[in-house]
Amino acid sequence: MGAMRVMEWSAESATKAYFDTLKLCNDRGRQCVSWKTQEPGSNEFVSALAAGMKAKLIVEVTSTVSPSTIALAVAAKHTGGKLVCILPEPVLNESKKVIRDLGLKDLVEFKTSDPSELLSNYKNIDFSMVDCKNDDYTRLLKLLDVNPRKSVVVANNLVGERKGLEGHLGMMEKRAPVRSTKNSIGKGMEVNVIGKNTEVGKGYWRGGSKRRSGKSKWAVKVDEKSGKDHIFRFLIFPMASLGSWSVFASRFAFRLCILTLVLEAKFDVMAADGSYVPGVNSAGGGNDASEPCDNDLSSFMLPPYSNSSSDLVCRPIWNTFVLRYSQTEDHVVNIILSAVYTTGWVGIGFSKDGMMVGSSAIVGWINRKGEARIKQYYLQGSKVSLVIPDKGELPLTGIPASVVLHGPRIYLAFQMKFQARLARQPIILAIGSGYPKHHHLTKHNDKTTVMFDFSAGSASVREAPSDIGQMKKNHGILAIFGWGLIIPIGAIVPRYLKHKEPLWYYLHSIIQFVGFVIGLAAVVLGQQLYTKIGANFPTHRGIGIFVLVLSILQILAFFLRPNKDAKNIRKYWNWYHHWLGRFAVFFAAVNIVLGIKIGGEGNDWKIGYGFLLGVILVSVILLEVLARMRRTEKDDITPNFQMNPIQ
């Protein structure tokens, strides 16, 4: 239905649709109150997105009446298009009544037949939205005939383990580039953008060979249209003088800007030869995420952080994270951390040993009401429940910490005073998309450990490997199997299979050699962790080295084993070999338990190793009992004849 259309981006339509949708539900709250989603704003977002791309044919598949229907109808009003709403027959009358009462009757065409049959009637759909509460939602998404030049497919209500298209649109990928991004607004929303004509220029989407600029043309277009900057400022900065409604509106308008940036970054740019070049995700360190270090913080930061902005050393450290700091002669350190922000929380932790567990962190966020929050946390363990708010060991001064939302970035500022000058320091950076609940953090989406040098005049950054968590697990697994399982089994063999000569000797030698090699690999991996993230656990490290030395001495003893004929020397050698082996097994078990505690791996590892250790101990007890029973039986055997004593 209809010829293929080339989409252009309209900043004016996006802005008007956003505020019209917001105002419509605000003024007619009784019509919308029963439809509220978990997070206000998702409806305004889809309305602005559909209107901004000038979608003429909009199709929604939903299981019940929804505020998204109103939002998309508003978008159709601003684009001169039409919304086709496919929904079940029982909710049709109620839906028509609400749309009629809101004055949107002429913009919506309701359909109630089987969606899989109806969708075939609509070709080159510009904007489509499918409510994933429908059990057959995946098939419906793939049945959409979208405009390959420029279109958007939204999968809404992706609760639980539900997944959207994730960029997979059947044969569409061969016809046009497809980019997908999932956002946490509402109950989970995935936006799939289709089209080759995705170059941004002068405020609209278009094809071309030039790369897009690093700015959001949506915001720029509004500025150019009005000739003033007051609209842009309203979109970005919450204004307390306008009351709570404006805080909510400006808060989500900011998020809309960021999500628009993300979508722009996901689009493909046509090259001169007709091929396309994948866009850069702004959240991963692309141009949109960059921030010049010469920015003047005094325009939005509070004293004393604004006062010292000219003295700050500024370094990008990870993804979109930028660290500014200053250090005085009396060891007072001002820290300002910034990162691209949409929702959730951002944190920076200071670790004594390079590990997350046992560190203290400063975490900041903007809650759903647009209120800034910043707190210190103590990371007692790796589980969410063990991240304790309002606790920690950071030497904070009496100067209040501050969190500010400025443009697309969030800024965390705080001050500490140390007893000595701060030099090389392991810091932990983390970001989570979920809002803290009652000040308890949600699980992070991404994190890393960075070794940062706060020495005066230089700031060398050495990022730890991204698979640091896997390295820790591998270290623990190798240690448990090598020192905790194989070597104890090798020690059991000579004691209880001594009567199987020479089988016990070969088994003992081979098993202990294999255990030593695996244990040595655990030591090497532990040393790599120590070097790369500055992990400093002297007790754990010292015991590990002690066990390794005992094992090396055991190997040397193997080559210095005296012959059986040298009974006196052999006796002392046996004593030495047996007791060094027992000490090695005992301290290896102690170190494994200590390592599990240090790693904060939780009860799964403790139960697993406890079960393994229990099996070994029970086996030793049973074998010892059986061995004693055999010796007792042997001692009780009487000779078959007796010799008469000599008279």
Side-chain angles (χ1 to χ4, degrees), residues 67 78 168 202 218 222 278 355 365 398 403 405 411 417 487 574 626:
H78 287 281
H168 302 294
K202 296 184 181 180
W218 185 68
V222 175
M355 309 298 285
W365 68 94
V403 58
L405 195 61
Y411 292 78
K417 181 177 175 58
I487 285 182
N574 286 337
L626 292 174

Side-chain angles (χ1 to χ4, degrees), residues 238-440:
M239 302 176 66
S241 60
L242 297 181
S244 60
W245 183 88
S246 69
V247 172
F248 160 72
S250 57
R251 170 73 183 111
F252 184 74
F254 159 73
R255 187 186 305 156
L256 179 61
C257 292
I258 301 305
L259 289 173
T260 305
L261 280 172
V262 172
L263 289 173
E264 289 179 3
K266 292 287 186 179
F267 296 155
D268 293 83
V269 182
M270 290 297 295
D273 60 357
S275 61
Y276 64 91
V277 181
V280 179
N281 189 339
S282 62
N287 292 334
D288 290 331
S290 63
E291 176 191 36
C293 282
D294 57 356
N295 276 357
D296 183 14
L297 304 184
S298 61
S299 62
F300 59 91
M301 296 296 295
L302 298 174
Y305 311 110
S306 58
N307 299 339
S308 61
S309 60
S310 60
D311 301 326
L312 293 171
V313 178
C314 178
R315 292 291 184 272
I317 50 176
W318 175 63
N319 286 353
T320 67
F321 282 68
V322 174
L323 181 65
R324 292 176 171 87
Y325 74 95
S326 65
Q327 190 166 188
T328 65
E329 293 181 357
D330 55 349
H331 316 314
V332 174
V333 180
N334 290 309
I335 299 288
I336 301 177
L337 178 76
S338 67
V340 169
Y341 180 78
T342 53
T343 61
W345 56 268
V346 171
I348 175 172
F350 286 73
S351 173
K352 297 176 182 178
D353 45 41
M355 309 298 285
M356 185 187 76
V357 177
S359 62
S360 300
I362 294 291
V363 180
W365 68 94
I366 307 296
N367 65 18
R368 288 186 174 91
K369 297 180 181 179
E371 300 166 340
R373 294 286 184 267
I374 186 166
K375 283 183 174 293
Q376 182 179 187
Y377 287 81
Y378 179 66
L379 284 64
Q380 187 176 354
S382 58
K383 291 187 176 181
V384 173
S385 59
L386 297 178
V387 179
I388 315 299
D390 297 317
K391 299 289 184 182
E393 300 175 351
L394 294 179
L396 299 175
T397 65
I399 304 299
S402 174
V403 58
V404 176
L405 195 61
H406 180 74
R409 303 183 74 86
I410 190 172
Y411 292 78
L412 279 63
F414 55 100
Q415 188 181 87
M416 300 180 291
K417 181 177 175 58
F418 294 89
Q419 295 180 354
R421 190 167 186 82
L422 190 61
R424 292 182 79 249
Q425 169 65 47
I427 60 176
I428 299 169
L429 305 168
I431 186 168
S433 60
Y435 289 106
K437 300 176 181 178
H438 305 293
H439 298 156
H440 290 285

